[in-house]
Amino acid sequence: MLQNFCPKLNQKMISHTCANGLKICIFPKKGFKRAYAMLAVNYGSIDISFDTDGKMYTSPLGVAHFLEHKVFEQPDGGNALQAFAQTGASPNAFTSKTKTAYYFSGTEKFMRNLEILLGFVTTPYFTAENVKKEQGIIGQEISMVNDRPGWRVYENLMSAMYAVHPAKDSIIGTVESISEITRDVLFKCYNTFYVPSNMALCVAGDVSAEKVIAAAESLLPKERVALPERDYGLEPCEVVDRRVVQKLETSMPQFSIGSKFAFKTTGAEGMRNRIVAELAADILGGGSSPLYNKLYSDGMITADFDCEAMVLPGSIALVLSGESRDPDAVLTKVCLAAERLSKDIDNAYFDRCRKAYLGLKLRSLDKVRALCQEQAEAVFAGYDFLDSFEIINEITPDEISCFISKFFKEETTSVSIVAGE
Amino acid sequence: MKMTYKEILPGINLRVIESDAFETNCISIQFVSEINNETASKMTLVPRVLRRGTVKHPDMESLAAELDEMYGARIEPVSRKYGDIISGGFVCDFVDPEKTLFGSVVKLLSEILVKPKLSDGIFVEEYVDGERTNLIDEIKSEINNKLSYAHKKAVEIMFKNTPYAVSELGTEEEAEKIDSASLYKYYKKLVCEAPCEIFFCGNTSFDEVKSAFLHMFSSLPARKGTKVKSGKPIYSELVRKKERLDISQANLLVGMYNENADIYASKLLCAVIGGGTCSKLFVNVREKQSLCYFTGTMYDSFEKSMFLYCGIDPKNAKIAEKAVLDEFENCVLAQITDEEIHNAKKGMIDDIITVDDSLFSMEAFWLRAALLGDERTPSEIAAYIRELDGEMLSDVARGFKTSVVYLLTGLEESENAAKLLPQA
């Protein structure tokens, strides 16, 4: 018999959708000194082909990340970072495969900081000169990340797993691709994707929801802009390469093992698929899994080991990463464990993994950045993060078995290895 | 939020912060010792070996199953270095939706700490061998993160042949020597004699937490209450060192010290120079001169050291070193604007007063505070920082001496080409 546990959530969310299409989500955090705001754009490194004026356009690789750097610069010659510094806020930004996010946290002048955030993201200033300068800075960043075994092993896995889906390409692009980025390219992509209907504003802190909504309504463009069709191609079931190896100075071989399958990743079905995928990852290779404990006890992996679900539009991958002297032997064990779980999952084991998963999600309510990020992803996928708590109890062992059965077949699985000479 | 800090047994201090602001609760228990080549690896290994199994839960899988039942509570081994002191123990966090788990978590923690699985009266050899191998791999893997590797090497140079140079992981050579018997002997000494700092934050009273930990220590011999004494750091005279790896981006670090300066004035100076996007290094070396992708500063309150660093194109090493030192020199010459001080203060004060927003920040803050012997609250420190001015910062800057210039660079380079990246 399965247990049922659904502790009452102490966390509320206030949400509002503006006429321009912007979704605002506020998590009240009474007594917290720091308030946090994230303006996320549903535009990541995979959004390179899209419909514009009835024609498909393909941008150079790395534009989303390039824009993330450039958006901070302002027409008056200043930089939004300096404006934040005057209020003591800590701003930053990141680009992932699927989104770009700008955020700050601070202890005072929250509304002033929010105005700066909303203002600079919607005030592009790109010139031939500042684009050229950024090519130098991003060139350095490309050198830096290419020296990191962890980055290389991940990006190599992506290009081994995906044949068509633009997730196969590096988030930051290449030195060659960024040299093709011009002011016009930036404006084209910016004008297409940096519109309120393609954004989510997520806030957590002891702040006034009414004031946040009023600021967003008054500072952002009023017009609701139609969004373009995006083309991610038709991804085949098979991976491109089953095994890729890169030589790079590292003390112990690092590996990423990934297996992909096509899934719906939006709406209620997408939310459920994401939860099933995350729970399946814990059951397969989480800290209490027989797989992890056996590999660790046998000295085949170190404690630096993760098993996680990677959700992309229309595709979910289960990815196991870590360090091992024999990544191929780890791959064999992973495939065997997946095969066993696809036939049967012990109810008691399932129950405790689900309880631990729920605990992990409850903990994320204390982490304002993680909370806003989860909600921004949920908005872009068409649901609310807090709704996912109720679904967790509905998941069954059979659902997980069925899910895992789709993964870790020879033809859908790749292993990426980075090792020294 | 109510905080109580008391010595509950000789050498065992308990700090309880009663708060219902979080879904999560945090417990930390840290034993403290002087660091040296021999103790570092052992202090790091002990909690890792303890976490492998207990008498009742003899392996990781059965421990994990127990933790899963507590909503995925975590009991993680940890070791941290503070100057010439090392701490080692466990940090736990757990959600407690039904308010029933505190006792169970402490009971399991106690089991891990005082009832480890043994074989012939010492640690299980298989566990020690496995964790020692992992530790050696971890020491070897420090090279993977180039900036922290370069920082470690620079610290070794700055504090050559002193405890301050020892990393919390220790060395491969010392780790190799550890076996079950020697580690068990160290463990017994640690849990029976070493000073200990216990921290709790959550929805449980001081008396209840105290009672749970007194019960934990009741199975151990009475303690004498020994103290750990920090020694004075001894710094190297200026050393320039270049090392090469197969990398495309070089890391440059300039290490300085001022043993007499006030910690927070030094930290503020550090923030003015490289503390964020409005710092001198970021604005002038990264943005104006396009000399690096990342740049910043690190300050260590225990070492009283400051490191200025940047990630650069190897051929720009000389010009970057000059650019970095120019920014420091400007501080010596009192060329610090009110805006720079204002921005640095705001960022620093923000960081300090928001310690109370995160359990793990509080845990780390109060452990450092206990080791520094500084019981000022985040708000009191923030008030102190507000009073610092530019003149004080220049005075502090004038007291800094350069001890090391360390360059971790690629295999091939022509350093004299000194070409700037494209710039506006």
Side-chain angles (χ1 to χ4, degrees):
Chain A
M1 205 174 94
L2 299 175
Q3 293 174 42
N4 196 6
F5 33 81
C6 191
K8 269 191 278 175
L9 287 182
N10 292 323
Q11 185 64 59
K12 282 184 201 151
M13 184 184 84
I14 299 162
S15 65
H16 173 78
T17 304
C18 305
N20 59 16
L22 175 78
K23 179 93 186 261
I24 303 172
C25 309
I26 299 150
F27 296 97
K29 289 280 178 193
K30 192 132 185 68
F32 272 47
K33 295 192 180 83
R34 189 185 288 272
Y36 181 93
M38 169 185 278
L39 184 60
V41 188
N42 187 7
Y43 173 53
S45 67
I46 60 172
D47 298 304
I48 52 169
S49 293
F50 50 91
D51 182 330
T52 171
D53 304 326
K55 287 182 193 164
M56 283 310 285
Y57 168 78
T58 300
S59 73
L61 301 176
V63 173
H65 173 257
F66 205 105
L67 270 174
E68 177 215 310
H69 276 231
K70 289 318 302 168
V71 161
F72 282 94
E73 282 186 39
Q74 295 298 282
D76 61 4
N79 188 307
L81 298 171
Q82 272 95 47
F84 278 118
Q86 286 170 3
T87 60
S90 309
N92 214 332
F94 67 86
T95 308
S96 70
K97 297 273 183 197
T98 57
K99 66 178 180 296
T100 313
Y102 302 86
Y103 56 89
F104 70 84
S105 63
T107 57
E108 52 187 68
K109 298 181 184 161
F110 175 80
M111 291 310 298
R112 171 68 195 129
N113 288 323
L114 185 64
E115 284 166 18
I116 297 170
L117 176 72
L118 299 175
F120 88 81
V121 177
T122 51
T123 313
Y125 177 63
F126 314 137
T127 65
E129 292 74 23
N130 72 21
V131 170
K132 192 178 173 197
K133 179 189 153 197
E134 206 65 40
Q135 283 165 338
I137 291 173
I138 294 177
Q140 277 290 305
E141 187 176 1
I142 291 171
S143 294
M144 182 178 75
V145 296
N146 283 341
D147 281 341
R148 288 184 187 157
W151 175 270
R152 286 293 356 133
V153 80
Y154 165 73
E155 288 291 5
N156 292 351
L157 176 73
M158 292 287 109
S159 53
M161 267 204 299
Y162 290 99
V164 177
H165 199 292
K168 66 187 168 58
D169 298 309
S170 168
I171 291 169
I172 57 175
T174 63
V175 172
E176 294 74 32
S177 76
I178 64 165
S179 72
E180 294 166 19
I181 295 173
T182 61
R183 175 183 177 275
D184 290 348
V185 167
L186 292 182
F187 269 116
K188 189 176 191 76
C189 295
Y190 179 90
N191 291 332
T192 304
F193 292 106
Y194 278 61
V195 292
S197 52
N198 197 42
M199 292 176 172
L201 174 62
C202 300
V203 172
D206 197 350
V207 300
S208 155
E210 291 77 18
K211 284 184 182 172
V212 170
I213 293 167
E217 296 267 19
S218 90
L219 291 169
L220 293 178
K222 305 284 178 287
E223 194 188 350
R224 184 178 191 122
V225 178
L227 296 173
E229 285 293 314
R230 308 172 197 218
D231 182 14
Y232 301 122
L234 193 62
E235 179 66 25
C237 298
E238 298 79 25
V239 296
V240 183
D241 285 311
R242 290 181 189 165
R243 189 173 188 274
V244 284
V245 180
Q246 181 176 350
K247 299 277 179 212
L248 194 66
E249 191 140 353
T250 178
S251 58
M252 200 199 291
Q254 297 198 13
F255 68 88
S256 269
I257 295 165
S259 184
K260 63 174 180 176
F261 199 83
F263 278 98
K264 186 167 167 55
T265 53
T266 54
E269 191 182 339
M271 170 172 69
R272 191 176 187 101
N273 283 338
R274 181 186 286 258
I275 294 165
V276 168
E278 289 176 354
L279 187 51
D282 286 352
I283 285 172
L284 172 65
S288 61
S289 66
L291 172 69
Y292 169 77
N293 285 288
K294 179 80 176 126
L295 289 171
Y296 188 84
S297 312
D298 290 350
M300 289 176 69
I301 54 167
T302 66
D304 191 9
F305 180 81
D306 280 314
C307 181
E308 56 196 2
M310 188 183 70
V311 181
L312 296 166
S315 174
I316 293 180
L318 291 181
V319 178
L320 298 98
S321 305
E323 297 176 328
S324 174
R325 288 184 180 78
D326 192 353
D328 295 305
V330 175
L331 172 63
T332 305
K333 299 275 185 194
V334 169
C335 293
L336 284 172
E339 196 185 332
R340 273 196 299 275
L341 291 168
S342 64
K343 287 175 187 150
D344 180 45
I345 298 175
D346 174 64
N347 277 357
Y349 176 54
F350 172 82
D351 266 348
R352 64 179 172 84
C353 284
R354 192 173 58 170
K355 201 169 181 183
Y357 175 74
L358 181 60
L360 189 74
K361 289 286 168 189
L362 284 169
R363 274 195 202 102
S364 70
L365 299 175
D366 283 337
K367 297 172 183 160
V368 289
R369 182 179 165 187
L371 185 57
C372 290
Q373 203 168 319
E374 290 262 22
Q375 177 57 18
E377 276 179 26
V379 167
F380 298 150
Y383 63 93
D384 283 334
F385 172 58
L386 295 187
D387 291 344
S388 63
F389 284 85
E390 284 184 19
I391 305 295
I392 294 171
N393 274 326
E394 295 175 8
I395 309 296
T396 65
D398 286 348
E399 205 172 350
I400 300 291
S401 281
C402 178
F403 183 87
I404 292 178
S405 71
K406 300 181 191 318
F407 292 88
F408 299 105
K409 314 283 183 216
E410 209 175 321
E411 66 278 10
T412 65
T413 306
S414 299
V415 57
S416 159
I417 301 167
V418 167
E421 293 295 337
Chain B
M1 226 183 260
K2 179 187 163 196
M3 184 169 85
T4 314
Y5 184 49
K6 278 185 186 161
E7 187 176 44
I8 58 168
L9 284 172
I12 298 180
N13 298 316
L14 171 65
R15 188 185 306 273
V16 172
I17 299 174
E18 291 172 55
S19 168
D20 53 11
F22 305 97
E23 297 283 336
T24 318
N25 297 267
C26 177
I27 303 172
S28 164
I29 179 160
Q30 304 299 323
F31 294 93
V32 180
S33 145
E34 284 100 2
I35 196 170
N36 58 48
N37 276 329
E38 199 187 331
T39 57
S41 295
K42 284 181 178 165
M43 181 65 105
T44 298
L45 271 180
V46 163
R48 294 180 186 192
V49 170
L50 293 175
R51 186 62 180 73
R52 290 295 294 265
T54 69
V55 174
K56 193 174 168 193
H57 298 92
D59 54 37
M60 283 169 58
E61 206 172 337
S62 57
L63 275 172
E66 187 71 19
L67 290 163
D68 280 350
E69 292 292 353
M70 301 173 192
Y71 286 99
R74 290 182 292 202
I75 299 182
E76 297 297 320
V78 62
S79 65
R80 286 168 282 193
K81 182 202 169 196
Y82 301 92
D84 59 349
I85 294 171
I86 185 166
S87 73
F90 296 94
V91 175
C92 323
D93 68 315
F94 60 100
V95 290
D96 194 2
E98 287 105 18
K99 314 286 178 219
T100 53
L101 287 181
F102 173 76
S104 309
V105 174
V106 176
K107 195 173 159 201
L108 185 59
L109 175 63
S110 175
E111 194 186 310
I112 290 170
L113 202 61
V114 298
K115 289 182 182 159
K117 182 173 162 60
L118 303 178
S119 170
D120 297 329
I122 54 172
F123 284 138
V124 176
E125 200 173 314
E126 180 197 338
Y127 293 172
V128 174
D129 290 352
E131 293 304 326
R132 187 186 54 233
T133 304
N134 287 344
L135 175 64
I136 292 169
D137 287 339
E138 200 177 329
I139 295 169
K140 287 179 179 163
S141 75
E142 287 178 313
I143 202 167
N144 295 351
N145 183 326
K146 303 299 181 280
L147 177 61
S148 64
Y149 174 77
H151 178 240
K152 182 190 169 192
K153 301 292 275 185
V155 168
E156 283 173 6
I157 295 166
M158 183 183 268
F159 299 106
K160 194 177 176 184
N161 297 329
T162 77
Y164 282 82
V166 179
S167 116
E168 69 269 29
L169 300 183
T171 63
E172 282 179 59
E173 295 72 30
E174 286 298 324
E176 289 281 7
K177 293 179 197 163
I178 296 170
D179 60 21
S180 298
S182 65
L183 193 65
Y184 186 70
K185 192 176 165 192
Y186 180 77
Y187 152 76
K188 289 299 280 184
K189 198 171 159 59
L190 196 67
V191 293
C192 295
E193 295 176 16
C196 180
E197 292 290 327
I198 302 170
F199 172 90
F200 173 80
C201 180
N203 203 359
T204 305
S205 71
F206 178 84
D207 288 341
E208 202 176 331
V209 179
K210 178 183 166 187
S211 161
F213 280 98
L214 286 178
H215 183 70
M216 174 189 284
F217 281 97
S218 65
S219 61
L220 296 169
R223 310 168 78 86
K224 290 177 193 157
T226 50
K227 302 266 183 220
V228 169
K229 280 187 190 158
S230 185
K232 222 174 162 212
I234 300 164
Y235 307 88
S236 291
E237 293 298 313
L238 178 60
V239 175
R240 302 184 66 87
K241 177 124 184 177
K242 185 194 302 184
E243 288 186 79
R244 293 181 186 279
L245 287 176
D246 186 9
I247 50 175
S248 49
Q249 187 178 58
N251 284 263
L252 172 73
L253 283 99
V254 179
M256 304 174 166
Y257 64 92
N258 182 347
E259 58 197 310
N260 302 315
D262 173 76
I263 288 173
Y264 291 100
S266 299
K267 276 190 172 179
L268 185 59
L269 172 70
C270 204
V272 165
I273 298 171
T277 52
C278 290
S279 66
K280 285 177 175 291
L281 288 177
F282 191 91
V283 171
N284 298 322
V285 181
R286 183 187 192 268
E287 293 293 294
K288 288 191 182 153
Q289 300 182 59
S290 298
L291 270 172
C292 53
Y293 172 67
F294 65 85
T295 184
T297 46
M298 298 178 240
Y299 181 76
D300 189 296
S301 315
F302 292 85
E303 293 171 0
K304 304 281 189 87
S305 68
M306 171 166 71
F307 283 88
L308 290 67
Y309 62 85
C310 53
I312 52 172
D313 188 330
K315 63 178 178 283
N316 288 335
K318 280 186 181 166
I319 198 167
E321 182 185 331
K322 182 176 182 309
V324 165
L325 287 170
D326 282 351
E327 297 309 324
F328 173 75
E329 195 56 29
N330 285 337
C331 296
V332 172
L333 299 172
Q335 289 173 7
I336 306 173
T337 66
D338 289 344
E339 192 184 359
E340 284 169 335
I341 293 173
H342 171 80
N343 292 341
K345 272 188 186 179
K346 289 292 285 177
M348 209 170 139
I349 290 169
D350 220 39
D351 284 346
I352 285 177
I353 63 173
T354 54
V355 160
D356 293 340
D357 285 353
S358 152
L359 293 162
F360 297 111
S361 301
M362 279 193 264
E363 189 273 334
F365 176 88
W366 286 111
L367 178 61
R368 292 177 74 85
L371 298 179
L372 280 168
D374 183 351
E375 278 293 310
R376 281 179 291 178
T377 63
S379 306
E380 286 165 347
I381 292 169
Y384 179 76
I385 293 166
R386 282 189 193 98
E387 298 303 315
L388 298 171
D389 61 31
E391 207 173 307
M392 292 160 92
L393 297 195
S394 296
D395 281 346
V396 168
R398 280 189 281 276
F400 269 95
K401 292 177 192 141
T402 304
S403 173
V404 55
V405 178
Y406 179 83
L407 180 69
L408 183 66
T409 189
L411 298 177
E412 299 266 330
E413 79 205 62
S414 66
E415 282 157 41
N416 296 323
K419 201 172 88 186
L420 289 174
L421 295 168
Q423 59 175 297

